[in-house]
Amino acid sequence: MVEHAEDSGSAAESLMDKITEKLHGHDSSSSDSDNEKEKEKEKSSPSAIKSVANRVNRLFGREKPVHQVFGGGKPADMFLWRNKKNTGTALGGATLIWILFELLDYHLLTLICHGLILSLAILFVWSNATTFIHKSPPRIPEVSIPEEPVIEFAAAVRFEINRAFAVLRDAATGRDLKKFLAVIAGLWVLSVVGAWCNFLTLFYIAFVLLHTVPAVYEKYEDQVDAFAEKAMIEIKKQYAVFDAKVLSKIPRGPLKDKKRV
């Protein structure tokens, strides 16, 4: 009798264990299905669709923010007007230099000499006047150019020049007709702009554009990207027509890779 009661108790316990396992399995499966549904909703939400579209359709296939494209840090802050005081000072100084050299026909050597004369005269008079007004003489700091920034700047300039030489070499090899036409068009536009103004004015225009265009683009990023996408589609269509009517009819010899002995 006792054994029968124990068997019935163990059977009841095993039955309860099976029921609880089924309930837990059902809960876990339902929770998994709920999580999958939530993930699908998140993927199909307008914000997710917009983020995917923005990531794909950015100008020049850009995936990083504009601030990171410019390397981040203080230079990017100046280009994007994150520090308005520094950016305004840089633009004001560049405008003053352009007015002096371009509009007033000032010369660089003359400006440097006049600036040094004025500075030395003020410091000399101030240093000698301290004995009569009983004040401390001016502290003239020791000015020295650090080595590391100069090396970094020279390395950056060297890298950009070598990259430009590589682009010119690739265009001259004749393997990529599209790149050749793009380089020729860019050089022609640069020559036309150079005929309109001198190097100082061209450098000043580039400096102003570098401190204004990125900030405007970051503000109206979505509108500019949408317009640029439509423009690129139209340019590709026109290039395909030009290629079919003109470029494809130009006779070109077969390019064969020479085997090295």
Side-chain angles (χ1 to χ4, degrees):
M1 190 71 181
V2 177
E3 293 177 357
H4 181 70
E6 290 178 356
D7 294 337
S8 62
S10 61
E13 289 178 358
S14 63
L15 181 62
M16 291 298 294
D17 292 336
K18 291 180 180 180
I19 292 172
T20 52
E21 286 178 359
K22 288 183 179 180
L23 290 175
H24 285 299
H26 179 71
D27 293 338
S28 62
S29 62
S30 62
S31 62
D32 293 338
S33 61
D34 292 338
N35 291 331
E36 290 178 357
K37 289 180 180 179
E38 289 179 359
K39 289 180 180 179
E40 290 178 356
K41 288 181 181 179
E42 289 178 357
K43 290 180 181 179
S44 60
S45 62
S47 61
I49 294 173
K50 185 177 179 182
S51 63
V52 172
N54 290 340
R55 185 168 62 250
V56 173
N57 298 327
R58 288 303 180 192
L59 190 63
F60 303 117
R62 177 179 56 84
E63 296 181 357
K64 297 180 180 179
V66 182
H67 191 267
Q68 293 183 7
V69 171
F70 284 95
K74 294 182 179 180
D77 292 340
M78 287 189 63
F79 296 148
L80 300 176
W81 287 80
R82 302 290 174 84
N83 193 335
K84 296 181 178 180
K85 184 178 180 181
N86 293 340
T87 306
T89 302
L91 284 176
T95 304
L96 179 62
I97 292 173
W98 181 77
I99 291 174
L100 288 174
F101 291 155
E102 189 66 21
L103 299 181
L104 301 180
D105 292 333
Y106 224 64
H107 298 284
L108 179 61
L109 184 60
T110 305
L111 177 64
I112 294 174
C113 292
H114 286 177
L116 290 175
I117 290 172
L118 181 62
S119 301
L120 290 175
I122 292 173
L123 292 174
F124 181 81
V125 173
W126 188 1
S127 299
N128 288 301
T130 54
T131 56
F132 301 99
I133 60 178
H134 303 288
K135 289 187 177 182
S136 60
R139 295 181 179 179
I140 303 174
E142 295 182 0
V143 179
S144 61
I145 299 175
E147 183 179 0
E148 185 175 356
V150 175
I151 294 175
E152 291 179 354
F153 178 76
V157 172
R158 174 180 171 274
F159 175 77
E160 294 298 332
I161 293 175
N162 289 335
R163 190 168 66 173
F165 284 156
V167 171
L168 294 175
R169 183 179 179 277
D170 291 339
T173 54
R175 297 178 181 177
D176 193 348
L177 183 60
K178 187 176 181 180
K179 182 181 290 186
F180 171 76
L181 294 176
V183 171
I184 293 298
L187 292 175
W188 180 76
V189 171
L190 189 62
S191 66
V192 172
V193 174
W196 291 345
C197 55
N198 55 15
F199 180 76
L200 179 62
T201 302
L202 184 62
F203 181 79
Y204 174 70
I205 292 172
F207 188 83
V208 173
L209 291 177
L210 188 61
H211 286 77
T212 53
V213 173
V216 175
Y217 171 71
E218 188 183 31
K219 187 176 181 180
Y220 303 99
E221 189 173 2
D222 296 333
Q223 294 85 343
V224 174
D225 288 338
F227 177 78
E229 185 181 5
K230 295 178 181 179
M232 289 301 296
I233 292 173
E234 187 64 26
I235 290 172
K236 289 180 180 178
K237 289 181 180 178
Q238 297 297 328
Y239 178 78
V241 174
F242 180 72
D243 188 15
K245 293 183 177 180
V246 179
L247 299 180
S248 61
K249 297 180 180 179
I250 298 176
R252 286 179 291 179
L255 293 176
K256 296 181 180 179
D257 296 332
K258 296 182 178 179
K259 297 181 179 181
R260 294 183 179 179
V261 181

